[in-house]
Amino acid sequence: MTTDIRRLRRTLLHLVLAVIAALYLSPLVYMFVTSFKTREAAGSTEPQWIPDPISLDAYRQLLGSADSPIMTWFLNSLAAATGHAALVLVTAAPAAYALARLRFRGRSTIFATVVATLFVPPVVLLIPNFLIVNEFAWVDSLPAVIVPAAAGAFGVFFLRQFFITLPGELEEAAELDGCNRWQIFTTIALPLARPALATLFLLSFLTNWNDFLWPIFVLLSPESLTLPAGLGNFQSANSIRYDLLMAGAVIASIPVILIYLVAQRWVIEGISRSGLKG
């Protein structure tokens, strides 16, 4: 009887999870399906989950349009998001390790100050960041969307939570073997932090990839736009072409889905371990 009850509970749990998954996935599936519809079918008020006929006109028009260089926007976004995520790791990892494992005067105050910046609305920093970017002559170039937010507080906070969980015995053993702090950081802490680093890379990549406000603020020419900013302009010009809009959304979602599928094991492990200890 106990075994039957457990099986029933497991079956109900799986059923509930399947329903929740279907609710979350249905907009993505409908977006994908709509991108293969004809212009008339995409604009129809009647839901159609299977396109009939299947049409590639939206992708042909989208990829072949000289006025909307979507592949250029795609490559700009890919370069910006990858560069930004890598720079976040470079800046956040040493700071997080120092705040987690080193003992020095003012450490708690510094960490509290870093965490306090998380409560500052990003829109407040638009003008100061623009003035800084303008001084470096980065306006209308990719460094303008890569560098400014790369030293954010979230990466430091996230990695610090992970570094705190590392056993101190590993560092003590390394010190007995003659390793200095930098060697301990690079040869012990960083390899063990790969799940957290992969998670932070993915989150930073996704944040930069989806950023809309800052790119339209600093990227002026159509060729310099990232994908969200370019698709925003494209949507304004084709507000009733739902097939084109959905095709653009599918193209924009491909890298994020692929990266998550590759890194999902590390992401789950990184999130679970980074929340163990404060």
Side-chain angles (χ1 to χ4, degrees), residues 35-36 57 66 68 83 135 163 171 198 208 243 270:
S35 70
F36 289 98
D57 291 343
S68 302
E135 285 295 321
F163 285 134
E171 295 178 338
N208 188 277
D243 54 333

Side-chain angles (χ1 to χ4, degrees), residues 251-262:
I251 293 175
S253 64
I254 289 175
V256 176
I257 295 175
L258 291 178
I259 290 177
Y260 179 76
L261 290 176
V262 172

Side-chain angles (χ1 to χ4, degrees), residues 39-64:
R39 178 176 182 176
E40 293 75 16
S44 174
T45 57
E46 298 180 2
Q48 184 183 28
W49 286 93
I50 300 178
D52 184 25
I54 296 176
S55 173
L56 297 176
D57 291 343
Y59 289 96
R60 293 194 187 100
Q61 184 172 343
L62 190 64
L63 298 176

Side-chain angles (χ1 to χ4, degrees), residues 33-276:
V33 168
T34 303
S35 70
F36 289 98
K37 293 179 181 179
T38 61
R39 178 176 182 176
E40 293 75 16
S44 174
T45 57
E46 298 180 2
Q48 184 183 28
W49 286 93
I50 300 178
D52 184 25
I54 296 176
S55 173
L56 297 176
D57 291 343
Y59 289 96
R60 293 194 187 100
Q61 184 172 343
L62 190 64
L63 298 176
S65 174
D67 297 330
S68 302
I70 190 168
M71 290 311 300
T72 300
W73 299 341
F74 181 90
L75 294 176
N76 288 344
S77 281
L78 190 61
T82 303
H84 171 78
L87 195 56
V88 167
L89 298 186
V90 171
T91 58
Y97 180 80
L99 291 172
R101 311 301 299 186
L102 302 185
R103 299 291 183 267
F104 55 90
R105 182 178 299 178
R107 186 184 68 162
S108 299
T109 302
I110 293 174
F111 179 66
T113 304
V114 171
V115 173
T117 62
L118 290 172
F119 298 94
V120 178
V123 69
V124 175
L125 303 176
L126 280 179
I127 300 301
N129 282 340
F130 181 83
L131 295 176
I132 294 173
V133 167
N134 188 53
E135 285 295 321
F136 282 99
W138 286 347
V139 174
D140 202 29
S141 66
L142 287 183
V145 292
I146 294 176
V147 176
F154 175 77
V156 177
F157 172 78
F158 183 81
L159 291 181
R160 176 187 176 273
Q161 301 306 104
F162 186 92
F163 285 134
I164 284 177
T165 66
L166 298 180
E169 292 80 3
L170 294 175
E171 295 178 338
E172 294 173 2
E175 289 177 352
L176 291 176
D177 289 337
C179 293
N180 57 38
R181 273 296 175 180
W182 178 253
Q183 291 171 327
I184 294 174
F185 170 65
T186 56
T187 61
I188 296 177
L190 285 183
L192 291 175
R194 280 180 295 185
L197 294 173
T199 304
L200 181 58
F201 183 92
L202 178 61
L203 294 176
S204 301
F205 183 97
L206 181 61
T207 299
N208 188 277
W209 181 270
N210 290 329
D211 192 11
F212 173 77
L213 181 60
W214 177 245
I216 64 173
F217 206 69
V218 293
L219 301 178
L220 308 179
S221 60
E223 296 78 13
S224 300
L225 294 176
T226 55
L227 197 56
L231 289 177
N233 294 340
F234 184 78
Q235 181 178 3
S236 299
N238 299 274
S239 57
I240 60 174
R241 291 295 307 274
Y242 298 110
D243 54 333
L244 291 177
L245 299 180
M246 294 302 102
V250 168
I251 293 175
S253 64
I254 289 175
V256 176
I257 295 175
L258 291 178
I259 290 177
Y260 179 76
L261 290 176
V262 172
Q264 61 176 327
R265 178 176 63 86
W266 284 353
V267 169
I268 295 172
E269 183 180 351
I271 291 177
S272 61
R273 291 191 61 183
S274 296
L276 290 178

Side-chain angles (χ1 to χ4, degrees), residues 5-24:
I5 294 177
R6 289 178 179 176
R7 289 178 179 175
L8 179 60
R9 288 178 178 176
R10 189 180 298 110
T11 301
L12 292 176
L13 177 61
H14 290 169
L15 181 62
V16 172
L17 292 177
V19 172
I20 294 175
L23 290 175
Y24 275 94

